[in-house]
Amino acid sequence: MFGFGMPELIIILVIVLVVFGAGRLPEIGGALGKSIRNFKKAANGKEEIEIKATRPDDDKKGS
């Protein structure tokens, strides 16, 4: 997998854990999964891509 072995992956995961903290890891994982899913849908040519605003007040700023 991209030339990474188990020791390199463990070091990367520890660095991510230190930078973002344990509380944010599920949120980051969910966002990563959604982005991969949307990329696969776009690559397959499906027209519907899930896009959601992160905050409800984002739409009001443009007006």
Side-chain angles (χ1 to χ4, degrees):
M1 181 166 79
F2 302 114
F4 292 127
M6 187 55 72
E8 290 88 1
L9 290 176
I10 291 173
I11 291 172
I12 291 171
L13 289 175
V14 168
I15 292 171
V16 168
L17 182 64
V18 169
V19 170
F20 293 110
R24 299 264 326 243
L25 285 182
E27 181 182 332
I28 293 169
L32 182 64
K34 286 180 185 178
S35 62
I36 291 172
R37 190 177 316 122
N38 283 337
F39 179 77
K40 286 183 179 180
K41 283 182 184 179
N44 289 335
K46 294 184 180 176
E47 295 297 323
E48 296 181 26
I49 297 177
E50 179 182 340
I51 299 174
K52 292 184 180 179
T54 56
R55 287 181 269 153
D57 60 343
D58 285 346
D59 295 333
K60 296 177 184 176
K61 290 180 181 178
S63 299

